[in-house]
Amino acid sequence: PCWIVDPVDGTRNFASGKPPFGIIIARAEGGEAQSGWIYDCLSGRFCTAHRGQGAQVDGVKVAARPTGMTPPIAALSLIFMQEERREATRRHIAPQYELVDIPYCAAEQYPRLALGVNDVSIFERTLAWDHAAGALWLNEAGGKAARPDGSPYRVDEVGRTGLLGAASPTLWDELWNRNQGVTCTICNEPRARLVMDGPMNSDLPTRCTHWACTGCWAELAERGGTTCPFCREDIGEWIRRLGEPRP
């Protein structure tokens, strides 16, 4: 096993002498978090999760609950995004939600998603010491945290960016649909600058539901790729037909 420790999460808050800040510990095996502990140093709130065993707060099992607000409450972390993606998020995603300030502390943001405070969050920088425990805890509580392409968060994907969190799978799907409309899932360029396409947009049977720009699909075809780089579904026939007129 690999132990991942963030002794002071919310460093900028701690250094400024204000909340929130906390301690995060995760135990990972095979690239995925198996256990997670999130401690709020000021309130004493202690969130714990073990894969397949649910999530707890202070020893009591919890189930994630949305805020019930319309529009949903969103905490969108834009600070590590490239400027084009940041502006695209502001234009296309932010107007669909009631925006609230981010806490600059993963030890606070993940509990907010499950405890009826926030409905959705977008994270750009996804360092393991910030997200391994929280993503596991939220999923075990019945919410959902996953990469923008739907794949699970892994602690061994060093340098990979982008993570969506939500209080329920339904809210996650809604955020995913809006996020898909903003950027290419491969190059992250804003949709406004691209022609987007996907295997599900053809007459071929496929379980792949990923969108990307035609330039990235063409590059995949040039490399001889036959599977979606995200879900690994066979899309060889669709790749072969790229550029051909659709029936």
Side-chain angles (χ1 to χ4, degrees), residues 3 43 70 77 147 156 233 240:
W3 290 89
S43 71
T70 304
S77 180
R147 294 292 189 179
D156 54 1
E233 287 293 326
R240 187 187 67 79

Side-chain angles (χ1 to χ4, degrees), residues 47-50 52-57 60-66 110-111 113-115 133-145 166-169:
C47 302
T48 60
H50 304 284
Q53 299 180 35
Q56 295 186 345
V57 175
V60 178
K61 195 167 186 177
V62 295
R65 63 181 188 275
Y110 279 104
L113 286 170
L115 301 179
L136 173 67
W137 182 84
L138 180 59
N139 286 326
E140 288 294 321
K144 184 172 180 178
S168 72

Side-chain angles (χ1 to χ4, degrees), residues 45-148:
R45 182 186 62 205
F46 191 33
C47 302
T48 60
H50 304 284
R51 186 171 296 274
Q53 299 180 35
Q56 295 186 345
V57 175
D58 297 331
V60 178
K61 195 167 186 177
V62 295
R65 63 181 188 275
T67 66
M69 301 294 289
T70 304
I73 306 299
L76 308 180
S77 180
L78 309 179
I79 55 176
F80 296 108
M81 290 182 180
Q82 295 182 354
E83 184 60 29
E84 290 178 345
R85 175 164 169 76
R86 183 184 301 120
E87 288 304 312
T89 301
R90 286 172 174 158
R91 290 195 307 269
H92 299 290
I93 295 180
Q96 311 300 320
Y97 296 97
E98 179 73 24
L99 299 184
V100 296
D101 291 338
I102 61 173
Y104 297 98
C105 175
E108 173 63 20
Q109 186 57 64
Y110 279 104
R112 288 184 181 184
L113 286 170
L115 301 179
V117 179
N118 294 167
D119 290 302
V120 299
S121 287
I122 295 178
F123 307 97
E124 183 67 7
R125 191 173 71 171
T126 60
L127 302 172
W129 50 86
D130 288 328
H131 295 279
L136 173 67
W137 182 84
L138 180 59
N139 286 326
E140 288 294 321
K144 184 172 180 178
R147 294 292 189 179

